Amino acid sequence: MIALDSPTLIITQAIIQWLLAILLMAERGTDQGTKYWVIALFIHGFANLLLFARPHLPPVVAIVFYNFCVSLAFSFSYLAFARLVDKTVSNWLFVLPILLMPISMSIYIDDIVMRVIFASIIVGIQLMLMSLILTRGCWSGSEKLKRWLIYSTGLLGLGFFVRALYCYIKPELFIQIIAKSTIQGSLVITGIIYMIFSTVVILLVRLYKLNKELSALASLDGLTGLFNRRAFIDNAKDIMVTENLPLSVLMLDLDNFKKINDAYGHNVGDTALKSCAHALQDGVKQQGIIGRLGGEEFAVVLPRTDSKQALAVAEKLRFAIETLDVHPDITLSISIGVATSSKITSIEPLLVSADKALYDAKAKGRNRVTHADLLATELILQRQVLD
């Protein structure tokens, strides 16, 4: 039976750290934060194995370099946590512990007690900084996991401060780092659990971000970056059920766009579509949502927008396309159909009404805005004249 002493646990910790690093490296498209965590795991595992080479190395290498590696590993962990919550860190917070560790180890190279105290304080500060930055950044994923990571990192940092104090009171327990020791063994086990837990959290957050990115890609049009048809309809339905009445819908279609593709090629056509999409998005801004329904056809939903306001937005969009410069020999224009309702129960009838208004705008010469209500009024007047 293998005794759970400090040397065995330290070797186990190093192996686990490298296995975790390899596991993270196996993921394609690893983000910067995960890469920093991988570096930290490799350096920490190397430092742990370096302990066993101490009898065969000069003190400067065995002591100073070992503690330098430990501090470097925690500095990379700090960078990893900062990237995890999309925060930038000052370079001095990364570099200062790395400098302080070898300096303090060199000064007390013959005093193991002071070395343990200073090393524990420096690592404790690094862990506290890691815990602090987690509280200040933008977290992706479970808030419960975030709290657990903050608490576990902070408690581990506090444990290193307690270790420094305990070493000052009972230095004999810390003289032989890799000797059999209940206290040392407990610290190593705590470190193993913390490394595994932190790696799992990083993996889960990374998975959450990837799922979010994939979901966004699935809902966006690949060329223009606008909502695709399915995502646009889904979002329009969400807006409709949240009491955003009156609700206006705009159906937009670029005029004679096929001629542009035929005359100048699809590359120029794609460039024109992207420019139009950006212009339309700038025109709508935060007033509503916009999507590309297919080809050169777009749609806009404007919550809390009456007929007069919708016509004003539509006219602004028409003018934005008309004045768009995408090619010296190309003049763009767009036809827009508008429909508004204050008693809507389904988005589909409003889309149909706006589409009919769009058809009328094209029939009347293109590059114009037609509202479904005005169109209905015109039809009633025409019938009265005929009668």
Side-chain angles (χ1 to χ4, degrees):
M1 185 175 180
I2 299 174
L4 294 178
D5 53 24
S6 295
T8 303
L9 289 171
I10 289 173
I11 293 174
T12 303
Q13 184 181 35
I15 293 172
I16 290 174
Q17 286 168 329
W18 285 350
L19 288 174
L20 291 173
I22 292 169
L23 174 65
L24 291 174
M25 287 175 64
E27 180 193 359
R28 293 185 179 182
T30 303
D31 60 64
Q32 196 68 39
T34 308
K35 289 178 181 177
Y36 285 142
W37 187 253
V38 168
I39 294 171
L41 288 172
F42 270 120
I43 294 175
H44 217 139
F46 171 75
N48 285 334
L49 293 184
L50 193 63
L51 284 171
F52 295 92
R54 277 193 175 187
H56 312 289
L57 297 172
V60 172
V61 176
I63 297 172
V64 177
F65 184 64
Y66 161 76
N67 285 282
F68 166 79
C69 288
V70 171
S71 181
L72 182 63
F74 277 108
S75 282
F76 272 108
S77 299
Y78 178 56
L79 286 181
F81 278 24
R83 294 295 185 275
L84 191 67
V85 292
D86 296 324
K87 291 288 288 184
T88 55
V89 297
S90 301
N91 290 332
W92 69 270
L93 286 175
F94 173 80
V95 174
L96 186 60
I98 302 173
L99 296 177
L100 287 177
M101 187 69 86
I103 290 172
S104 60
M105 295 302 103
S106 300
I107 293 173
Y108 296 102
I109 197 164
D110 296 321
D111 189 341
I112 187 172
V113 174
M114 293 304 296
R115 292 204 313 267
V116 172
I117 290 173
F118 271 97
S120 298
I121 291 173
I122 292 170
V123 171
I125 291 172
Q126 287 179 296
L127 285 162
M128 287 299 182
L129 287 173
M130 289 162 60
S131 180
L132 182 63
I133 202 165
L134 286 172
T135 65
R136 295 185 173 182
C138 179
W139 179 263
S140 296
S142 167
E143 285 296 321
K144 185 180 288 186
L145 274 180
K146 178 183 180 181
R147 288 195 297 271
W148 274 101
L149 190 57
I150 291 171
Y151 296 152
S152 61
T153 305
L155 287 173
L156 188 60
L158 183 61
F160 272 92
F161 289 129
V162 172
R163 180 185 183 225
L165 179 63
Y166 205 69
C167 182
Y168 179 78
I169 297 171
K170 288 192 173 183
E172 65 275 6
L173 297 174
F174 297 88
I175 293 176
Q176 296 297 327
I177 294 179
I178 60 172
K180 294 182 179 182
S181 166
T182 302
I183 292 178
Q184 294 285 14
S186 300
L187 289 173
V188 176
I189 290 174
T190 302
I192 292 173
I193 295 172
Y194 176 76
M195 287 293 178
I196 294 173
F197 172 71
S198 299
T199 302
V200 170
V201 171
I202 287 173
L203 275 172
L204 290 174
V205 171
R206 175 63 179 157
L207 181 61
Y208 177 85
K209 287 182 176 180
L210 285 173
N211 286 336
K212 193 174 180 180
E213 290 170 7
L214 288 173
S215 178
L217 288 173
S219 64
L220 298 180
D221 174 63
L223 179 64
T224 62
L226 302 176
F227 283 130
N228 57 29
R229 175 184 285 272
R230 179 186 59 80
F232 175 79
I233 298 297
D234 289 343
N235 279 272
K237 289 178 179 178
D238 290 340
I239 291 174
M240 182 194 68
V241 299
T242 53
E243 299 299 328
N244 284 308
L245 302 176
L247 190 74
S248 292
V249 170
L250 280 59
M251 296 291 286
L252 311 91
D253 193 85
L254 292 173
D255 299 326
N256 300 313
F257 188 75
K258 185 177 182 299
K259 293 181 180 179
I260 295 175
N261 280 330
D262 293 342
Y264 301 98
H266 287 281
N267 287 336
V268 174
D270 288 348
T271 301
L273 278 174
K274 287 189 283 187
S275 298
C276 289
H278 293 154
L280 294 173
Q281 198 165 31
D282 287 341
V284 174
K285 293 182 180 178
Q286 304 301 318
Q287 290 176 268
I289 61 169
I290 179 170
R292 182 188 179 199
L293 302 188
E296 64 272 21
E297 189 177 16
F298 302 88
V300 175
V301 169
L302 300 171
R304 296 180 298 279
T305 304
D306 60 25
S307 299
K308 184 178 179 181
Q309 293 168 325
L311 285 170
V313 172
E315 184 58 35
K316 182 173 69 171
L317 297 179
R318 188 202 63 78
F319 181 75
I321 299 301
E322 187 180 45
T323 56
L324 201 59
D325 183 16
V326 296
H327 191 278
D329 300 323
I330 295 176
T331 300
L332 293 171
S333 66
I334 196 166
S335 299
I336 305 175
V338 183
T340 303
S341 177
S342 298
K343 298 179 181 180
I344 188 171
T345 57
S346 174
I347 194 67
E348 282 78 9
L350 207 55
L351 290 169
V352 171
S353 295
D355 196 51
K356 288 180 179 177
L358 169 63
Y359 179 81
D360 183 71
K362 284 189 170 294
K364 290 180 177 178
R366 299 182 174 86
N367 192 26
R368 65 185 62 226
V369 177
T370 300
H371 197 289
D373 292 346
L374 299 178
L375 176 60
T377 302
E378 288 178 8
L379 289 173
I380 291 171
L381 292 174
Q382 288 173 8
R383 288 172 184 170
Q384 288 177 348
V385 170
L386 291 173
D387 291 342

